[in-house]
Amino acid sequence: MTILELIAENYARLLEGMGRTLLLTFWSLILASVLGLIFGMMKAARGKIWHILSSLYVDVIRGIPVLVLAFFVYFGIPQGFGVNISIFQASLIVLSLNAGAYMAEIVRGGIQSVDRGQMEAARSLGLPYRKAMQKVVLPQAIRTMIPSIINQFIITLKDTSILSVIGYADLIKVAKAVIARNFEAFRIWLIVALMYLIVITVLSKIAKAIERRMTYAK
């Protein structure tokens, strides 16, 4: 069977798997952005307690491999606390926690890239810290963060492949099922690699285009 025949026979299932991969990546990044914004602002704040709490989250999550975190969330938590977690929920929690830790560093870096005088000027006009951060600092910081956020999306997209070990039906899981049926491992994995390459290349081009636009806009 030629590679074109393999694509014609299995493209619907492979595209469905890629769709699930992108869906999980999208929702994970949404939740990770919320976590990253909260903990990133905490880490950039002057309060020592906030800084310690955010550093603890970032250091712990970044220090645990995604595979170990996946096993802990999907197998460990249900056994330890007697709760039921679906494969999608476990996958979403794992990716959100992992990406959120890196997003927190992106947010912290973006906030600290804004000149301190901006915050001081806003405070001198009578704005409280939270309003000054929301209205003055964050809008400027977001401009510098967008390329890094897109790069984190790419990294999270790659990390979804690990979650096939707990049974999430992403592109990797679908590819394994196809191979089990036709034993065309070399060609199927080549097709999967090309699918990832196309998606990631498109996202990388978008990230570079946005970065150039942000540079020219300064």
Side-chain angles (χ1 to χ4, degrees):
M1 185 179 291
T2 66
I3 193 167
L4 292 178
E5 289 173 337
L6 277 174
I7 293 173
E9 182 180 320
N10 299 289
Y11 78 93
R13 296 184 65 189
L14 292 173
L15 286 177
E16 185 179 357
M18 177 57 83
R20 291 197 193 99
T21 296
L22 292 173
L23 179 67
L24 177 61
T25 305
F26 174 78
W27 285 112
S28 297
L29 197 65
I30 294 294
L31 295 178
S33 297
V34 175
L35 290 172
L37 185 61
I38 293 171
F39 285 98
M41 290 179 65
M42 288 169 60
K43 199 163 188 180
R46 294 182 179 178
K48 188 174 182 179
I49 294 177
W50 299 122
H51 189 273
I52 291 173
L53 289 174
S54 62
S55 296
L56 185 64
Y57 163 69
V58 170
D59 293 343
V60 168
I61 296 299
R62 290 176 65 175
I64 300 175
V66 178
L67 182 61
V68 175
L69 188 60
F71 284 143
F72 175 76
V73 171
Y74 188 61
F75 297 111
I77 290 179
Q79 184 180 22
F81 296 95
V83 296
N84 293 321
I85 301 177
S86 69
I87 293 175
F88 179 79
Q89 290 170 338
S91 301
L92 186 61
I93 290 170
V94 170
L95 285 184
S96 298
L97 287 174
N98 183 72
Y102 290 93
M103 288 288 287
E105 287 297 298
I106 293 172
V107 172
R108 178 196 59 77
I111 290 173
Q112 292 181 346
S113 70
V114 178
D115 190 274
R116 279 188 181 181
Q118 298 289 318
M119 173 62 79
E120 293 170 359
R123 295 300 300 275
S124 67
L125 293 173
L127 286 176
Y129 179 84
R130 186 178 299 179
K131 281 288 184 182
M133 182 66 70
Q134 179 183 350
K135 300 291 186 180
V136 178
V137 177
L138 279 179
Q140 298 180 66
I142 287 172
R143 293 178 61 187
T144 63
M145 290 190 292
I146 288 177
S148 297
I149 291 172
I150 296 176
N151 286 332
Q152 184 57 50
F153 184 93
I154 294 170
I155 294 170
T156 305
L157 175 63
K158 292 179 180 179
D159 286 343
T160 58
S161 61
I162 298 173
L163 298 172
S164 63
V165 299
I166 62 172
Y168 183 69
D170 67 339
L171 180 58
I172 301 300
K173 184 75 173 179
V174 171
K176 289 178 180 178
V178 171
I179 293 169
R181 193 179 70 250
N182 59 29
F183 302 104
E184 292 282 357
F186 175 78
R187 289 170 178 168
I188 293 298
W189 287 124
L190 178 61
I191 293 169
V192 169
L194 290 173
M195 292 176 71
Y196 272 110
L197 180 62
I198 291 169
V199 172
I200 290 171
T201 299
V202 170
L203 290 173
S204 298
K205 295 294 183 184
I206 292 172
K208 289 179 181 177
I210 292 175
E211 190 171 3
R212 284 197 299 269
R213 189 167 182 176
M214 293 297 179
T215 301
Y216 295 147
K218 289 181 180 179

